[in-house]
């Protein structure tokens, strides 16, 4: 029998071990352009895979409901202190298991059942947790929405202001999952104050840019700031809430016991490591390269004649209108054809889309993950051309064979994680 405490996973559970190795290969061999994904450092991975997964630590550092929390306290306090330092926030809660749970806790803290929220329309770039009818936010609260202008495809702040005056929301929600432009948190804060609303800024996508001053910060303008930790911030899968001292207690109470039980201390350890990385100077260099790469990719795609929603990008992502009102292919078809050549993207609705969300007229592309791998403008130029070739001729086996080879060649030039087998072979050899 294998020893419970020392067996490695390849002996203990070959099915799962093989799936993990296959996933390593998939991530290493392909080109990852999903805008919400990234690759964490080995240090973050190591922290996430530790015995802190065994520990119950309900409560907060120094005030726990369980014994034996002295080291969990070290980890959580470090994560809190680093998060506050990164964003210049008065208070941080690092326990939300995900971005959705962070938002749930803020809505619980800021609203009574049935109150009105004003959030960005999902099909214009917003998120499910900002008031979608199938989400807790749309089920428990009255929802009004705002969106982008039909011409510019950028947020229509005048319409947002009119909607706020009309609907008198208690909470205005801003931040997006598929919006390629800078968000004016200053203006949104002013609009909210004008109607007596509070603001939740959800910076799940742009947190890394905000952390390094490359996107204006919502912290001075918004009562609540939520984010995921796994997108541009490049930490483990999780959530984070930043707020002012006056809301510290109500936010902490809303996370635990409001919407969660015990925190994931192993993940909080990984968040602390990632936040430490985000405080280093080279993190700003990395974020600047994400922006430079997004611009290069946008220029390359535009150069091939493809249309970008809003005409370009200010941040890490772009939306490509592959349907072009019927001349092209759907987002769903584009996603599938690109998958076949190991370029990973997601279909996405574009503003005023005529296709259903599961089909969609667009694809969403982001540069955080490939930038982590070390790719720069020349690679982005080439990737834009590969994407265009596939989107223009999604049925051509010749094009697919050629692009698949180009993808493999490019991926091989930017090595990253190794599977356990490769590591062992390397150590032995
Ligand atoms: C990704 C995202 C979330 C949700 O994060 P999960 O960790 O998947 O729950 C919330 N808000 C926005 C704007 C997002 O982009």
């Amino acid at each position: 029998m294998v020893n419970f405490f020392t067996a490695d996973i390849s002996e203990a559970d070959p099915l799962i071990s093989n799936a993990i190795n296959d996933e390593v290969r998939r991530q290493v061999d392909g080109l990852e352009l999903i805008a919400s994904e990234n690759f964490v450092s080995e240090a973050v991975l190591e922290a996430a895979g530790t015995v802190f997964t065994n520990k119950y630590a309900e409560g907060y550092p120094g005030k726990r409901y369980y014994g034996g929390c002295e080291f969990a306290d070290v980890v959580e306090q470090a994560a809190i202190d680093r998060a506050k330092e990164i964003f210049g926030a008065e208070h941080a809660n690092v326990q939300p298991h995900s971005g959705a749970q962070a938002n749930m806790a803020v809505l619980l803290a800021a609203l009574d059942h049935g109150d009105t929220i004003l959030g960005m329309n999902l099909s214009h770039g917003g998120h499910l947790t900002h008031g979608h009818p199938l989400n807790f936010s749309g089920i428990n609260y009255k929802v009004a929405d705002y969106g982008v202008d039909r011409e510019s495809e950028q947020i229509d702040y005048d319409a947002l202001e009119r909607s706020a005056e009309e609907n008198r929301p208690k909470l205005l929600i801003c931040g997006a999952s598929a919006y390629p432009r800078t968000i004016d948190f200053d203006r949104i804060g002013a609009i909210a104050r004008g109607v007596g609303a509070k603001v939740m800024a959800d910076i799940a996508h742009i947190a890394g840019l905000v952390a390094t001053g490359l996107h204006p910060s919502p912290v001075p303008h918004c009562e609540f700031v939520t984010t995921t930790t796994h997108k541009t911030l490049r930490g483990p899968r999780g959530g984070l809430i930043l707020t002012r001292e006056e809301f510290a207690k109500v936010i902490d109470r809303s996370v635990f016991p409001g919407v969660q039980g015990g925190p994931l201390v192993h993940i909080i350890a990984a968040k602390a490591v990632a936040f430490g990385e985000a405080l280093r100077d080279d993190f700003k260099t990395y974020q600047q390269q994400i922006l430079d790469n997004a611009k290069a990719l946008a220029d390359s795609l535009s150069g091939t004649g493809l249309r970008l929603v809003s005409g370009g990008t200010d941040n890490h992502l772009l939306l490509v209108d592959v349907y072009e009102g019927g001349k092209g292919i759907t987002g769903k078809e584009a996603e599938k054809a690109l998958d076949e050549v190991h370029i990973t993207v997601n279909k996405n609705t574009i503003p005023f889309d005529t296709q259903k969300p599961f089909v969609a007229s667009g694809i969403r592309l982001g540069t955080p993950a490939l930038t982590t791998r070390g790719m720069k403008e020349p690679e982005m130029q080439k990737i834009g051309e590969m994407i265009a070739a596939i989107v223009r001729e999604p049925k051509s086996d010749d094009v697919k064979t050629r692009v698949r080879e180009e993808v493999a060649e490019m991926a091989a030039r930017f090595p990253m994680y190794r599977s356990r087998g490769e590591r062992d072979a390397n150590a032995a050899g």
Side-chain angles (χ1 to χ4, degrees):
M1 212 182 83
V2 292
N3 185 311
F4 182 78
F5 289 106
T6 59
D8 86 36
I9 189 171
S10 60
E11 282 177 75
D13 195 329
L15 175 74
I16 300 304
S17 176
N18 288 336
I20 292 170
N21 283 331
D22 288 345
E23 176 64 9
V24 171
R25 286 256 60 93
R26 189 194 67 81
Q27 292 188 16
V28 171
D29 291 346
L31 295 179
E32 182 54 71
L33 282 154
I34 293 179
S36 50
E37 293 191 11
N38 210 330
F39 300 117
V40 298
S41 67
E42 297 276 357
V44 169
L45 269 186
E46 187 176 337
T50 59
V51 293
F52 275 123
T53 194
N54 298 330
K55 189 71 201 98
Y56 247 112
E58 282 181 353
Y60 290 98
K63 300 173 292 261
R64 304 284 190 184
Y65 291 82
Y66 288 82
C69 288
E70 58 269 39
F71 305 117
D73 281 3
V74 171
V75 159
E76 185 166 353
Q77 194 57 52
I80 291 169
D81 293 342
R82 291 173 188 179
K84 284 161 65 176
E85 186 180 347
I86 293 170
F87 294 100
E90 291 175 12
H91 182 75
N93 187 306
V94 298
Q95 292 192 7
H97 301 331
S98 69
Q101 298 239 251
N103 290 351
M104 194 171 198
V106 169
L107 269 56
L108 184 68
L111 299 167
D112 291 316
H113 196 271
D115 280 346
T116 300
I117 58 177
L118 174 59
M120 187 161 170
N121 192 315
L122 183 66
S123 71
H124 291 200
H127 189 261
L128 287 167
T129 53
H130 300 182
H132 189 277
L134 293 177
N135 182 265
F136 77 90
S137 55
I139 293 170
N140 293 325
Y141 308 102
K142 278 211 276 303
V143 180
D145 68 355
Y146 63 92
V148 300
D149 173 71
R150 207 175 258 277
E151 277 305 304
S152 67
E153 296 176 297
Q154 305 202 26
I155 293 175
D156 185 342
Y157 292 95
D158 294 332
L160 198 176
E161 182 159 25
R162 284 195 299 277
S163 176
E165 281 162 0
E166 229 166 82
N167 294 293
R168 311 299 292 188
K170 196 154 160 194
L171 188 71
L172 202 165
I173 303 178
C174 58
S177 296
Y179 185 66
R181 294 299 181 172
T182 301
I183 297 176
D184 191 346
F185 295 120
D186 192 352
R187 172 118 196 242
I188 290 172
I191 292 171
R193 282 191 298 282
V195 299
K198 292 191 175 68
V199 186
M200 177 178 90
D202 177 352
I203 58 168
H205 263 262
I206 56 171
L209 300 173
V210 171
T212 48
L214 296 172
H215 186 293
S217 173
V219 170
H221 312 293
C222 305
E223 284 80 3
F224 310 104
V225 176
T226 60
T227 181
T228 60
T229 47
H230 50 272
K231 298 180 184 174
T232 50
L233 201 48
R234 205 167 63 181
R237 193 155 286 283
L240 165 69
I241 304 173
L242 306 166
T243 190
R244 299 177 184 156
E245 202 49 57
E246 60 180 302
F247 304 113
K249 277 214 173 67
V250 61
I251 283 295
D252 284 353
R253 220 187 305 129
S254 288
V255 173
F256 169 81
V259 300
Q260 292 186 177
L264 310 175
V265 183
H266 57 308
I267 296 301
I268 293 174
K271 286 176 185 173
V273 173
F275 296 164
E277 292 172 359
L279 284 165
R280 296 195 330 223
D281 291 341
D282 56 1
F283 193 68
K284 181 161 185 175
T285 314
Y286 162 59
Q287 296 291 331
Q288 183 61 55
Q289 191 65 51
I290 290 177
L291 294 178
D292 295 346
N293 282 352
K295 291 249 179 324
L297 184 58
D299 289 347
S300 173
L301 289 161
S302 298
T304 70
L306 283 167
R307 190 184 86 82
L308 303 182
V309 169
S310 84
T313 179
D314 300 326
N315 59 24
H316 65 297
L317 71 81
L318 30 142
L319 275 178
V320 188
D321 175 4
V322 289
Y323 190 58
E324 299 177 284
K327 292 204 299 286
I329 62 174
T330 66
K332 185 180 175 182
E333 289 165 328
E335 177 189 300
K336 180 161 174 293
L338 288 165
D339 239 341
E340 286 168 18
V341 297
H342 308 141
I343 295 176
T344 314
V345 310
N346 64 279
K347 60 180 167 292
N348 213 102
T349 53
I350 63 173
F352 310 100
D353 209 326
T354 52
Q355 301 289 333
K356 291 198 214 52
F358 205 71
V359 178
S361 292
I363 53 174
R364 186 184 66 162
L365 310 174
T367 55
L370 292 184
T371 307
T372 294
R373 281 187 87 156
M375 294 186 189
K376 295 206 166 77
E377 290 88 338
E379 286 76 36
M380 297 303 126
Q381 171 67 36
K382 180 82 196 144
I383 290 169
E385 291 163 12
M386 293 194 275
I387 290 173
I390 294 293
V391 166
R392 294 290 185 221
E393 292 186 76
K395 300 233 154 59
S396 161
D397 286 334
D398 288 351
V399 173
K400 274 188 195 144
T401 304
R402 172 174 61 81
V403 173
R404 210 178 284 122
E405 278 165 18
E406 288 168 351
V407 165
E409 180 274 328
M410 188 182 287
R413 281 195 291 119
F414 296 87
M416 36 169 214
Y417 309 127
R418 288 174 304 164
S419 64
R420 180 181 289 267
E422 288 170 303
R423 276 203 304 270
D424 291 350
N426 215 287

